[in-house]
């Protein structure tokens, strides 16, 4: 700004600003640019602000006129600024609405519905199958006595079978306990418990956890069994075979064959193990090459699934039944093994690790 009559200089500067501000504000394309232009005029070092510093040099009689002009221009600038700001915001909003859809919601935590565990599914199915044949459901404690787990089932004291099922003991008579107790090693304890509680005829199934000192790819120290037994007059092996054949066909496949092999359990006579047709190579489809190379049944076409037999007379005596009057059969199967066969699970640990990637497949 040149010297000379300050008022003239100031007024011409004012006129210059007045002529230029509209173009400057209107040319701004976004809010930032607009605010920058406004600051150039009205900011601390803005053109109009600097002009106000002229005031002391303005002759008194013209101070009012000059002040009014500066203030008028300031208001005009503010008004245009507000209008432009509104327009810019409206344009931005419009562009946003017309532009590509932007999802501003944050994904919520996925909610995966719970599922029935494969063992529980097999358990439910078996309860259904045996229930349809008239078997009732029974349950018993996980810690039971040596008597219920071994002695009353006909295991002689120190019989090798008691350490065949290497056991978790809780209390021991030899160490001063009133009774030897242990984590039950099989659900056959329920045969004793139910028979001591009730009178024949009875048909019972009892699923539940059992415990042994076993731990590898196909054995877990805690696993599931399902015990089944039936006591009545004149029960024969044919009925046992009929019930187990029906179970295998309903659970796995209607063309399954069932094979009985003699085996020893102290509480049954005769005792046997039951194999079913391999559910992986499906021998009933008669693809011999497939069966020959099946790694699950090792080419035999058979899978072992349970132990069974006719209830031993000594068991009836131990629970107060007369073995000359009643007879019966019993069977016990590992639910884990059944689930592994039914769903093709290669390692028993998968059933207990609660790994979502595994469980969500069911
Ligand atoms: N309790 C036996 C086991 O755990 C299975 C079984 C039950 C065998 C009933 C015969 C009869 O191996």
């Amino acid at each position: 700004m040149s010297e000379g009559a300050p008022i003239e200089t100031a007024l011409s500067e004012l006129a210059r600003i007045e002529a230029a501000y509209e173009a400057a504000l209107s040319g701004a394309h976004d809010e930032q640019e607009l605010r920058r232009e406004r600051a150039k005029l009205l900011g601390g070092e803005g053109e109009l602000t600097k002009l106000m510093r002229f005031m002391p040099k303005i002759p008194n009689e013209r101070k009012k006129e000059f002040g009014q002009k500066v203030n008028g221009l300031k208001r005009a600038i503010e008004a245009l600024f507000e209008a432009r700001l509104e327009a810019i915001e409206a344009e931005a909003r419009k562009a946003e609405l017309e532009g590509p859809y932007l999802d501003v919601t944050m994904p919520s935590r996925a909610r995966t519905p719970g599922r029935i565990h494969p063992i529980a599914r097999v358990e439910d199915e078996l309860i259904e199958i045996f229930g349809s044949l008239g078997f009732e459901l029974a349950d018993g404690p996980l810690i039971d006595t040596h008597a219920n787990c071994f002695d009353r089932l006909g295991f002689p004291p120190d019989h090798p079978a008691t350490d065949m099922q290497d056991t978790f003991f809780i209390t021991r008579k030899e160490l001063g306990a009133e009774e030897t107790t242990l984590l039950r090693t099989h659900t056959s304890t329920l045969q004793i418990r139910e028979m001591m509680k009730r009178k024949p005829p009875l048909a019972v199934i009892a699923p539940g956890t059992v415990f042994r000192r076993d731990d590898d790819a196909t054995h877990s120290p805690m696993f599931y069994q399902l015990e089944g037994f039936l006591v009545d007059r004149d029960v024969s092996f044919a009925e046992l075979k009929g019930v187990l054949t029906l179970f295998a066909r309903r659970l796995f496949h209607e063309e399954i064959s069932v094979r009985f092999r003699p085996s020893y359990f102290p509480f049954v006579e005769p005792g046997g193990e039951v194999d079913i047709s391999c559910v992986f190579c499906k021998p009933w489809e008669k693809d011999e090459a497939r069966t020959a190379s099946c790694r699950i049944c090792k080419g035999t076409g058979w899978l072992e699934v349970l132990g069974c037999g006719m209830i031993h007379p000594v068991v009836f005596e131990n629970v107060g039944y007369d073995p000359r009057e009643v007879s019966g059969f019993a069977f016990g199967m590992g639910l884990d093994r059944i689930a592994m066969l039914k769903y093709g699970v290669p390692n028993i640990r998968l059933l207990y690790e609660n790994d979502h990637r595994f469980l969500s497949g069911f």
Side-chain angles (χ1 to χ4, degrees):
M1 222 178 295
S2 64
E3 282 301 303
I7 180 69
E8 300 311 327
T9 316
L11 284 177
S12 77
E13 177 66 3
L14 198 64
R16 192 191 59 75
I17 296 172
E18 192 164 24
Y21 83 91
E22 272 182 66
L25 292 186
S26 304
H29 295 296
D30 57 34
E31 186 179 334
Q32 232 187 345
E33 223 179 301
L34 182 68
R35 287 189 187 282
R36 225 170 18 236
E37 290 304 325
R38 177 178 176 268
K40 277 193 212 162
L41 296 164
L42 305 180
E45 290 301 307
E47 293 171 11
L48 206 60
T49 314
K50 281 187 192 156
L51 206 53
M52 284 299 276
R53 295 191 196 135
F54 264 81
M55 203 50 117
K57 294 185 185 165
I58 305 283
N60 277 343
E61 68 280 10
R62 300 197 64 180
K63 270 195 167 54
K64 186 174 175 194
E65 174 202 348
F66 180 69
Q68 279 173 348
K69 281 204 163 131
V70 171
N71 280 330
L73 182 56
K74 203 171 165 184
R75 274 196 298 276
I77 292 173
E78 287 289 11
L80 182 61
F81 169 81
E82 291 301 334
R84 263 314 277 154
L85 186 61
E86 221 171 278
I88 284 175
E89 279 170 354
E91 271 165 45
R93 180 87 183 117
K94 188 158 172 263
E96 190 181 40
L97 288 176
E98 284 170 1
Y101 172 67
L102 175 67
D103 184 359
V104 294
T105 57
M106 191 166 98
S108 60
R109 273 186 205 200
R111 281 197 215 183
T112 26
R115 288 160 193 269
I116 310 285
H117 191 277
I119 292 177
R121 284 166 68 123
V122 164
E123 183 179 329
D124 288 347
E125 266 190 74
L126 292 178
I127 290 172
E128 169 75 30
I129 292 171
F130 287 111
S132 76
L133 295 174
F135 285 80
E136 293 170 67
L137 202 51
D139 198 7
L142 305 187
I143 296 176
D144 212 329
T145 59
H146 193 279
N148 286 344
C149 200
F150 298 125
D151 308 333
R152 292 184 176 120
L153 284 164
F155 290 82
D158 300 323
H159 188 279
T162 53
D163 54 59
M164 174 178 91
Q165 308 184 80
D166 218 354
T167 301
F168 297 105
F169 285 94
I170 306 288
T171 56
R172 303 202 67 144
K173 257 189 182 157
E174 309 90 284
L175 301 176
E178 210 170 291
E179 184 130 41
T180 297
T181 56
L182 43 92
L183 290 175
R184 66 183 184 188
T185 57
H186 53 182
T187 45
S188 299
T189 52
L190 266 296
Q191 289 188 40
I192 301 300
R193 288 182 160 272
E194 288 299 302
M195 284 194 249
M196 287 175 76
K197 247 191 332 212
R198 303 162 58 175
K199 293 280 156 243
L202 44 87
V204 174
I205 51 166
T209 42
V210 299
F211 306 84
R212 296 182 196 176
R213 293 188 189 224
D214 263 341
D215 203 3
D216 60 37
T218 54
H219 296 89
S220 151
M222 190 275 311
F223 61 104
Y224 285 76
Q225 280 192 336
L226 182 136
E227 192 82 5
F229 55 97
L230 180 148
V231 184
D232 203 342
R233 289 177 191 277
D234 304 320
V235 179
S236 79
F237 204 97
E239 283 147 329
L240 169 61
K241 192 167 179 184
V243 165
L244 293 180
T245 304
L246 185 138
F247 135 77
R249 292 190 175 160
R250 285 229 200 134
L251 187 71
F252 290 108
H253 192 278
E254 56 190 14
E255 287 177 82
I256 294 265
S257 301
V258 172
R259 173 172 93 165
F260 288 72
R261 280 182 290 107
S263 182
Y264 175 70
F265 301 95
F267 39 97
V268 286
E269 180 57 36
E273 259 153 32
V274 172
D275 301 337
I276 62 168
S277 313
C278 177
V279 291
F280 296 98
C281 65
K282 306 181 171 58
W284 60 90
E285 289 176 2
K286 299 195 166 45
D287 181 340
E288 275 152 34
R290 187 175 60 201
T291 293
S293 62
C294 178
R295 282 187 305 173
I296 310 294
C297 67
K298 301 193 178 72
T300 63
W302 296 101
L303 296 171
E304 185 188 323
V305 290
L306 56 83
C308 68
M310 301 307 291
I311 296 173
H312 199 290
V314 88
V315 174
F316 287 139
E317 277 167 11
N318 288 339
V319 297
Y321 289 3
D322 184 347
R324 284 161 307 182
E325 275 182 24
V326 294
S327 54
F329 62 73
F331 54 87
M333 65 184 88
L335 289 183
D336 316 69
R337 177 154 172 80
I338 301 284
M340 288 167 79
L341 294 178
K342 178 139 174 135
Y343 301 116
V345 178
N347 189 318
I348 195 170
R349 290 196 185 92
L350 286 166
L351 295 173
Y352 298 119
E353 282 169 347
N354 277 340
D355 187 327
H356 186 68
R357 289 166 299 179
F358 168 73
L359 292 175
S360 63
F362 291 91

